Amino acid sequence: MAETLDGTELTCRQIIDFVQAYLDGELPPREQTIFELHLTICPDCVNYLQSYQATQALSKLTGEDEPTESPIPVDLIQAILAARKKT
Ligand SMILES: [Zn+2]
């Protein structure tokens, strides 16, 4: 049985299931290869991955699950600015 990796072994639904593990670097090498191959043939999944990444980046920035309008507390910004003025 010849083992071919052409990205079509995974369905888009499976890709979505794998996104979190992929971004965490937890996908096994074989699955990661198939995942990336799928991305080269499926613009829809690329779009999904990018929007997922953006959402996740925002969540990390705010420390919350939901993005907020003001990711950085005003108090923190003022404290940083104040600290810079001192030096
Ligand atoms: Zn896809």
Side-chain angles (χ1 to χ4, degrees):
M1 172 177 132
E3 205 172 6
T4 55
L5 300 177
D6 60 5
T8 59
E9 288 186 29
L10 285 181
T11 66
C12 294
R13 189 192 166 87
Q14 284 175 303
I15 289 294
I16 288 168
D17 286 344
F18 277 3
V19 162
Q20 183 62 59
Y22 175 76
L23 292 177
D24 289 343
E26 291 173 352
L27 272 189
R30 186 174 183 276
E31 276 73 9
Q32 185 174 328
T33 301
I34 301 171
F35 185 97
E36 288 170 347
L37 278 169
H38 183 92
L39 292 180
T40 66
I41 61 166
C42 186
D44 286 346
C45 281
V46 174
N47 287 336
Y48 178 82
L49 177 63
Q50 284 174 344
S51 62
Y52 191 96
Q53 268 181 311
T55 304
Q56 193 181 55
L58 265 179
S59 299
K60 278 182 181 170
L61 208 62
T62 60
E64 297 169 8
D65 291 335
E66 297 288 329
T68 60
E69 285 187 24
S70 180
I72 303 171
V74 174
D75 288 352
L76 181 60
I77 297 171
Q78 286 174 340
I80 292 170
L81 289 176
R84 281 184 181 169
K85 281 177 188 167
K86 285 175 190 168
T87 56

